[in-house]
Amino acid sequence: MTFPPDRRCPCGTGLTYEQCCGKYHAGALAPTAETLMRSRFTAFVTRDADYLLRTWDPDTRQFELTLVDLPITFYRLDILDVVDGGPLDTQGIVEFEAFFKGDPPGSQRERSTFRRINGQWYYSNGAVS
């Protein structure tokens, strides 16, 4: 799905997609675990499975990911807690709640772990609550 570059980014920063997650989807490296989490949420919104696979830890990544027939639409992300995951860290945790429309509508709360390998942040795994 193509997302308009001048539209507000779905991740909730208030910036446009082009200023925010669009640059990470285009290849720039996320500087923090939280930034990667936000860009991955936006990838779910835009159905960008390639980006999700590219930013998934090689040790825990699935072979493929299909979002085409996803029966829900994500529309809001709330970051609840961040532990480490900064530019000088090698690990981080981001707890979030992602809200979606569907039948029924709802939300998913997850505490995700991230690790940085050779300067690039990757999503490792998450505990859904």
Side-chain angles (χ1 to χ4, degrees):
M1 165 191 291
T2 303
F3 200 82
D6 58 346
R7 191 166 156 203
R8 187 173 294 187
C9 193
C11 79
T13 61
L15 298 172
T16 65
Y17 173 72
E18 183 176 49
Q19 296 169 320
C20 196
C21 294
K23 62 186 171 189
Y24 305 117
H25 293 178
L29 297 181
T32 66
E34 180 182 347
T35 303
L36 182 63
M37 177 60 244
R38 288 180 179 281
S39 68
R40 287 177 57 83
F41 171 81
T42 298
F44 273 102
V45 172
T46 62
R47 314 270 187 189
D48 188 347
D50 289 340
Y51 180 76
L52 291 166
L53 288 170
R54 257 193 343 266
T55 58
W56 201 325
D57 189 327
D59 291 342
T60 60
R61 176 177 41 224
Q62 298 179 22
F63 271 124
E64 63 181 21
L65 181 64
T66 303
L67 301 176
V68 176
D69 296 327
L70 195 64
I72 59 174
T73 303
F74 287 100
Y75 68 92
R76 186 176 111 206
L77 175 68
D78 291 349
I79 301 296
L80 306 173
D81 189 29
V82 177
V83 179
D84 299 328
L88 302 178
D89 296 318
T90 56
Q91 295 183 5
I93 296 171
V94 179
E95 185 173 353
F96 67 91
E97 187 167 6
F99 295 83
F100 56 85
K101 297 174 184 174
D103 188 19
S107 68
Q108 175 180 319
R109 189 170 178 161
E110 183 176 319
R111 191 163 179 85
S112 299
T113 58
F114 297 83
R115 71 181 184 136
R116 197 166 62 155
I117 305 167
N118 297 323
Q120 181 172 346
W121 283 104
Y122 293 91
Y123 165 81
S124 291
N125 57 51
V128 176
S129 58

